[in-house]
Every structure is written in structure tokens, then in C-alpha cells.
Amino acid sequence: MTIAPAKLTDPAVRAFVTAVNAGDRDAFLALLTPDATMADDGSERDLRDWIDREIFGPNGRMDVQTESNGGRALVANFTNETWGEMRTAWRFTVEDGKISRFETGQA
């Protein structure tokens, strides 16, 4: 059973999932602090390169299965045209309403 993005607890994370699912790169980038960072499967990645390659280029989508840590940790089925569907974990650091870091990887 999935959790609708509108029902996610943390406003910044809610907006992150909504932007991903809408394919809205500009809205996504507006949610991040200027110095935001990210990691994929424990490896630091160039955030803009990664989002273009994994989310916005191949039409990524998140179907959230669970949330914890006040809405700042998700397990989601992530799908894109490159890799298909995979179960992923997402952890977010939010500062002053903006995401300063996110980490993702296979769950």
C-alpha cells in the first residue's frame, strides 16, 4: 500500500516527492539549499548530474511505502526508464524548510 505524497508528514519531503513525480526539475531544485549534497548507495554523487541521470532524464517516480523519523526517512518503490522498479530507502536532512542533504539506495 502506498502513501499519497499529500499525506507525507514533512513538508519539504512531501514537496520533494511531489516534484519528482511531476517531473518538475525547477520545483525540485527550489527545495534544496544552495550547498545541498547527496549520496547513492553510500557513494557521494554530484547532485545535479545524478538527478538528471536518475530522476528527470528517465522519468523517475517514487511510490512511498513507509515513512519514519518524522517523515524524513522513506521506503519507496522508485521507478525510472533506465532501471525499472526497485525498492529504495531515502533519508533527508532538512534545514529551515529546505533539504540540505538526501541519501538514497536499495532498501
Side-chain angles (χ1 to χ4, degrees):
M1 184 167 149
T2 61
I3 301 171
K7 301 277 186 186
L8 295 172
T9 304
D10 186 275
V13 174
R14 181 183 325 124
F16 179 102
V17 173
T18 300
V20 168
N21 290 348
D24 191 338
R25 186 178 187 275
D26 292 338
F28 180 95
L29 291 173
L31 300 166
L32 307 176
T33 63
D35 59 346
T37 61
M38 64 89 49
D40 181 8
D41 280 328
S43 297
E44 295 297 314
R45 304 286 186 202
D46 177 274
L47 190 146
R48 288 176 190 265
D49 176 61
W50 188 89
I51 65 168
D52 288 339
R53 188 179 66 253
E54 301 290 337
I55 297 175
F56 296 106
N59 299 310
R61 178 164 179 80
M62 297 174 72
D63 291 315
V64 178
Q65 304 299 304
T66 65
E67 72 171 343
S68 58
N69 192 31
R72 293 185 179 176
L74 307 177
V75 172
N77 291 337
F78 181 79
T79 307
N80 69 24
E81 293 170 352
T82 303
W83 306 109
E85 183 176 304
M86 64 191 88
R87 188 169 172 84
T88 55
W90 299 76
R91 290 165 303 286
F92 299 89
T93 303
V94 178
E95 298 174 4
D96 297 324
K98 296 229 178 210
I99 296 170
S100 61
R101 179 168 177 82
F102 68 92
E103 298 174 10
T104 187
Q106 300 242 7

